[in-house]
């Protein structure tokens, strides 16, 4: 058995180490960690506040009972609310790609006020246009201009994505009435940079689907 000084020194080392363990675990607890159920957190807080030398016997539980058994996952950053996104600037919008197109008709015509455009011949179902809005925007309405005939797009759905490669979320699905002008107002604005406009069918014309323009607002 060692001298009284050696025994006191060992006791101090044990006491200091235990206090550090309790203090560290208390800090983790206050930072959002979950401790095992039998930990008297309030007792530890009071003891540390009073400056009491803490050891396992005094606190009536062992150091291992202070082990953190789980941590709350860090909250994922929330995307910006759609309402806070800027409005669409049509001068920034471009047609990135399409499912098909009639020879001699550039996709740029889809964005021109006085032009018209066709999907490829005999491609009158399940066609699409992919638009790059230039930045993440809030889209409150989709306007698809057409010829006012059986060539008009009929069943439309709009999907959004953070990437031109998807994955895609179908946000809006609606039936466009036959006619030259039609704007579909959205109950809740869409939010995103990439919008894919699917045209599922037209009003019966077998050869083509004609689009006289697409405008987002």
């Amino acid at each position: 058995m060692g001298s009284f000084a050696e025994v006191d020194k060992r006791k101090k080392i044990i006491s200091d180490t235990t206090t550090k363990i309790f203090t560290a675990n208390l800090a983790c607890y206050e930072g959002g960690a979950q401790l095992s159920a039998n930990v008297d957190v309030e007792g530890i807080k009071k003891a540390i506040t009073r400056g009491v030398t803490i050891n396992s016997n005094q606190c009536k539980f062992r150091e291992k009972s202070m082990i953190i058994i789980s941590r709350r996952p860090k909250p994922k950053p929330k995307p910006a609310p759609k309402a806070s996104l800027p409005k669409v600037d049509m001068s920034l919008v471009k047609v990135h790609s399409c499912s098909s197109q009639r020879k001699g008709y550039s996709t740029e015509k889809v964005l021109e006020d006085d032009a018209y455009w066709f999907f490829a011949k005999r491609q009158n179902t399940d066609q699409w246009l992919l638009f790059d809005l230039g930045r993440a925007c809030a889209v409150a309405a989709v306007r698809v201009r057409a010829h006012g005939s059986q060539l008009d797009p009929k069943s439309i759905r709009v999907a959004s994505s953070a990437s031109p490669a998807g994955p895609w979320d179908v946000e809006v699905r609606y039936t466009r009435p036959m006619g030259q002008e039609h704007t579909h107002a959205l109950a809740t604005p869409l939010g995103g940079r990439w919008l894919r406009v699917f045209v599922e069918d037209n009003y019966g014309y077998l050869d083509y689907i004609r689009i006289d323009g697409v405008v987002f607002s």
Side-chain angles (χ1 to χ4, degrees):
M1 188 173 180
S3 65
F4 287 113
E6 290 175 343
V7 172
D8 288 344
K9 185 177 180 180
R10 286 199 298 271
K11 283 183 177 180
K12 186 176 188 311
I13 291 173
I14 293 172
S15 177
D16 289 349
T17 302
T18 306
T19 302
K20 287 178 181 178
I21 292 172
F22 289 161
T23 305
N25 280 279
L26 181 62
C28 290
Y29 171 82
E30 291 176 338
Q34 181 182 350
L35 305 179
S36 53
N38 61 336
V39 174
D40 180 9
V41 176
E42 293 303 319
I44 296 171
K45 285 183 180 180
K46 291 177 182 178
I48 292 176
T49 302
R50 293 199 310 269
V52 175
T53 300
I54 302 172
N55 60 50
S56 298
N57 293 328
Q58 289 173 325
C59 286
K60 296 181 182 179
F61 46 70
R62 299 178 181 179
E63 293 169 14
K64 66 180 181 180
S65 70
M66 290 293 294
I67 295 174
I68 299 170
I69 59 174
S70 69
R71 284 189 180 278
R72 298 172 190 169
K74 292 183 179 180
K76 296 181 180 179
K78 296 181 179 179
K82 294 174 183 177
S84 68
L85 294 174
K87 294 181 179 180
V88 179
D89 181 350
M90 286 301 298
S91 67
L92 301 177
V93 178
K94 296 180 179 179
V95 179
H96 178 271
S97 56
C98 61
S99 56
S100 69
Q101 64 189 99
R102 184 176 179 179
K103 186 176 180 180
Y105 285 81
S106 168
T107 53
E108 294 177 1
K109 294 182 180 297
V110 175
L111 299 173
E112 296 176 6
D113 291 335
D114 57 351
Y116 53 90
W117 181 84
F118 297 89
F119 287 107
K121 188 173 183 178
R122 294 287 179 174
Q123 300 298 316
N124 64 338
T125 59
D126 299 323
Q127 299 296 296
W128 52 263
L129 286 158
L130 174 58
F131 295 88
D132 178 4
L133 304 185
R135 59 184 178 177
C137 299
V139 180
V142 179
R143 178 158 60 106
V144 178
R145 298 194 301 271
H147 184 244
S149 67
Q150 290 182 315
L151 288 84
D152 292 5
K154 181 180 179 182
S155 303
I156 294 176
R157 66 184 195 272
V158 182
S160 66
S161 177
S163 165
W168 299 95
D169 295 320
V170 176
E171 302 274 10
V172 177
R173 185 170 189 156
Y174 66 98
T175 299
R176 182 193 183 281
M178 186 187 296
Q180 293 183 339
E181 293 283 343
H182 179 263
T183 300
H184 184 82
L186 309 179
T188 302
L190 307 184
R193 173 171 177 171
W194 300 91
L195 289 184
R196 204 170 187 179
V197 177
F198 293 83
V199 180
E200 297 180 354
D201 53 15
N202 64 5
Y203 277 90
Y205 192 78
L206 296 180
D207 281 346
Y208 294 108
I209 297 173
R210 171 172 161 167
I211 294 178
D212 290 43
V214 176
V215 178
F216 304 107
S217 59

Short mmCIF file of all heavy atoms in Angstrom, two decimals, residues 24-37 39 41 66-74:
data_model
loop_
_atom_site.label_atom_id
_atom_site.label_comp_id
_atom_site.label_asym_id
_atom_site.label_seq_id
_atom_site.Cartn_x
_atom_site.Cartn_y
_atom_site.Cartn_z
N ALA A 24 -17.84 16.51 -20.06
CA ALA A 24 -17.87 16.36 -21.52
C ALA A 24 -19.19 15.81 -21.99
O ALA A 24 -19.77 16.27 -22.98
CB ALA A 24 -16.72 15.45 -21.97
N ASN A 25 -19.70 14.79 -21.26
CA ASN A 25 -20.97 14.19 -21.66
C ASN A 25 -22.13 15.15 -21.44
O ASN A 25 -23.09 15.16 -22.21
CB ASN A 25 -21.21 12.89 -20.91
CG ASN A 25 -20.46 11.72 -21.51
OD1 ASN A 25 -20.90 11.14 -22.49
ND2 ASN A 25 -19.31 11.41 -20.96
N LEU A 26 -22.04 15.96 -20.41
CA LEU A 26 -23.07 16.95 -20.17
C LEU A 26 -23.10 17.98 -21.30
O LEU A 26 -24.16 18.38 -21.78
CB LEU A 26 -22.83 17.65 -18.83
CG LEU A 26 -23.87 18.72 -18.44
CD1 LEU A 26 -25.23 18.10 -18.28
CD2 LEU A 26 -23.43 19.41 -17.14
N ALA A 27 -21.93 18.37 -21.75
CA ALA A 27 -21.84 19.31 -22.88
C ALA A 27 -22.46 18.70 -24.12
O ALA A 27 -23.17 19.37 -24.88
CB ALA A 27 -20.38 19.68 -23.13
N CYS A 28 -22.19 17.39 -24.36
CA CYS A 28 -22.80 16.72 -25.51
C CYS A 28 -24.30 16.68 -25.38
O CYS A 28 -25.04 16.88 -26.34
CB CYS A 28 -22.24 15.30 -25.63
SG CYS A 28 -20.52 15.23 -26.13
N TYR A 29 -24.78 16.42 -24.15
CA TYR A 29 -26.23 16.38 -23.91
C TYR A 29 -26.87 17.72 -24.25
O TYR A 29 -27.87 17.81 -24.94
CB TYR A 29 -26.50 16.00 -22.46
CG TYR A 29 -27.96 16.13 -22.07
CD1 TYR A 29 -28.86 15.11 -22.37
CD2 TYR A 29 -28.42 17.27 -21.43
CE1 TYR A 29 -30.20 15.24 -22.03
CE2 TYR A 29 -29.75 17.40 -21.08
CZ TYR A 29 -30.64 16.37 -21.39
OH TYR A 29 -31.96 16.50 -21.07
N GLU A 30 -26.24 18.77 -23.75
CA GLU A 30 -26.79 20.10 -23.99
C GLU A 30 -26.68 20.49 -25.46
O GLU A 30 -27.42 21.34 -25.95
CB GLU A 30 -26.06 21.12 -23.12
CG GLU A 30 -26.38 20.94 -21.63
CD GLU A 30 -25.59 21.89 -20.74
OE1 GLU A 30 -24.55 22.37 -21.20
OE2 GLU A 30 -26.04 22.12 -19.61
N GLY A 31 -25.78 19.83 -26.19
CA GLY A 31 -25.64 20.10 -27.62
C GLY A 31 -26.59 19.29 -28.46
O GLY A 31 -26.58 19.36 -29.68
N GLY A 32 -27.43 18.47 -27.83
CA GLY A 32 -28.45 17.73 -28.58
C GLY A 32 -28.29 16.24 -28.56
O GLY A 32 -29.08 15.53 -29.17
N ALA A 33 -27.26 15.71 -27.85
CA ALA A 33 -27.10 14.26 -27.80
C ALA A 33 -28.08 13.65 -26.82
O ALA A 33 -28.57 14.31 -25.91
CB ALA A 33 -25.68 13.90 -27.40
N GLN A 34 -28.38 12.38 -26.99
CA GLN A 34 -29.28 11.66 -26.10
C GLN A 34 -28.46 10.70 -25.25
O GLN A 34 -27.68 9.90 -25.76
CB GLN A 34 -30.32 10.87 -26.90
CG GLN A 34 -31.31 10.12 -26.00
CD GLN A 34 -32.28 9.32 -26.84
OE1 GLN A 34 -32.32 9.46 -28.04
NE2 GLN A 34 -33.04 8.46 -26.19
N LEU A 35 -28.60 10.80 -23.91
CA LEU A 35 -27.85 9.94 -23.01
C LEU A 35 -28.70 8.75 -22.57
O LEU A 35 -29.91 8.73 -22.76
CB LEU A 35 -27.39 10.73 -21.78
CG LEU A 35 -26.59 12.01 -22.07
CD1 LEU A 35 -26.22 12.69 -20.76
CD2 LEU A 35 -25.35 11.69 -22.87
N SER A 36 -28.04 7.74 -21.97
CA SER A 36 -28.79 6.58 -21.49
C SER A 36 -29.79 7.01 -20.43
O SER A 36 -29.61 8.00 -19.73
CB SER A 36 -27.83 5.52 -20.94
OG SER A 36 -26.97 6.08 -19.99
N ALA A 37 -30.84 6.23 -20.30
CA ALA A 37 -32.01 6.65 -19.53
C ALA A 37 -31.73 6.85 -18.04
O ALA A 37 -32.40 7.61 -17.38
CB ALA A 37 -33.13 5.63 -19.72
N VAL A 39 -29.30 8.22 -16.45
CA VAL A 39 -28.37 9.30 -16.11
C VAL A 39 -29.14 10.44 -15.43
O VAL A 39 -30.15 10.92 -15.95
CB VAL A 39 -27.66 9.84 -17.37
CG1 VAL A 39 -26.81 11.05 -17.01
CG2 VAL A 39 -26.79 8.75 -17.95
N VAL A 41 -29.08 13.76 -15.10
CA VAL A 41 -28.46 14.94 -15.70
C VAL A 41 -28.55 16.14 -14.78
O VAL A 41 -27.58 16.89 -14.60
CB VAL A 41 -29.11 15.26 -17.06
CG1 VAL A 41 -28.54 16.53 -17.63
CG2 VAL A 41 -28.89 14.10 -18.02
N MET A 66 -22.77 6.96 -18.60
CA MET A 66 -22.78 8.27 -19.24
C MET A 66 -22.51 8.20 -20.74
O MET A 66 -22.47 9.20 -21.43
CB MET A 66 -21.71 9.16 -18.60
CG MET A 66 -22.05 9.57 -17.17
SD MET A 66 -23.48 10.64 -17.13
CE MET A 66 -22.84 12.06 -17.96
N ILE A 67 -22.25 7.00 -21.24
CA ILE A 67 -21.93 6.86 -22.65
C ILE A 67 -23.09 7.34 -23.51
O ILE A 67 -24.24 7.00 -23.24
CB ILE A 67 -21.58 5.40 -23.01
CG1 ILE A 67 -20.30 4.99 -22.26
CG2 ILE A 67 -21.41 5.22 -24.50
CD1 ILE A 67 -19.96 3.53 -22.42
N ILE A 68 -22.80 8.11 -24.51
CA ILE A 68 -23.85 8.59 -25.42
C ILE A 68 -24.35 7.42 -26.25
O ILE A 68 -23.56 6.73 -26.91
CB ILE A 68 -23.30 9.69 -26.33
CG1 ILE A 68 -22.83 10.88 -25.47
CG2 ILE A 68 -24.34 10.15 -27.33
CD1 ILE A 68 -22.06 11.90 -26.24
N ILE A 69 -25.63 7.15 -26.21
CA ILE A 69 -26.17 6.01 -26.95
C ILE A 69 -26.69 6.39 -28.32
O ILE A 69 -26.87 5.55 -29.18
CB ILE A 69 -27.29 5.32 -26.14
CG1 ILE A 69 -28.42 6.30 -25.84
CG2 ILE A 69 -26.75 4.72 -24.87
CD1 ILE A 69 -29.62 5.66 -25.18
N SER A 70 -26.93 7.63 -28.57
CA SER A 70 -27.34 8.04 -29.91
C SER A 70 -27.20 9.54 -30.04
O SER A 70 -27.16 10.26 -29.05
CB SER A 70 -28.79 7.63 -30.20
OG SER A 70 -29.69 8.38 -29.40
N ARG A 71 -27.13 10.00 -31.27
CA ARG A 71 -27.06 11.43 -31.55
C ARG A 71 -28.19 11.80 -32.50
O ARG A 71 -28.52 11.04 -33.38
CB ARG A 71 -25.73 11.80 -32.20
CG ARG A 71 -24.57 11.84 -31.23
CD ARG A 71 -23.34 12.42 -31.90
NE ARG A 71 -22.22 12.46 -31.00
CZ ARG A 71 -22.01 13.42 -30.10
NH1 ARG A 71 -22.90 14.40 -30.00
NH2 ARG A 71 -20.97 13.41 -29.32
N ARG A 72 -28.73 12.94 -32.31
CA ARG A 72 -29.74 13.42 -33.24
C ARG A 72 -29.06 13.76 -34.56
O ARG A 72 -28.03 14.43 -34.55
CB ARG A 72 -30.43 14.66 -32.69
CG ARG A 72 -31.17 14.42 -31.39
CD ARG A 72 -31.65 15.71 -30.79
NE ARG A 72 -32.16 15.51 -29.44
CZ ARG A 72 -32.45 16.49 -28.61
NH1 ARG A 72 -32.28 17.74 -28.99
NH2 ARG A 72 -32.90 16.23 -27.40
N PRO A 73 -29.61 13.30 -35.68
CA PRO A 73 -28.97 13.64 -36.97
C PRO A 73 -29.01 15.13 -37.21
O PRO A 73 -29.95 15.82 -36.84
CB PRO A 73 -29.84 12.88 -37.99
CG PRO A 73 -31.15 12.69 -37.30
CD PRO A 73 -30.83 12.53 -35.84
N LYS A 74 -27.96 15.62 -37.83
CA LYS A 74 -27.93 17.04 -38.16
C LYS A 74 -29.03 17.37 -39.16
O LYS A 74 -29.22 16.64 -40.12
CB LYS A 74 -26.56 17.41 -38.75
CG LYS A 74 -25.43 17.33 -37.76
CD LYS A 74 -24.12 17.77 -38.41
CE LYS A 74 -22.97 17.71 -37.41
NZ LYS A 74 -21.69 18.13 -38.03
#
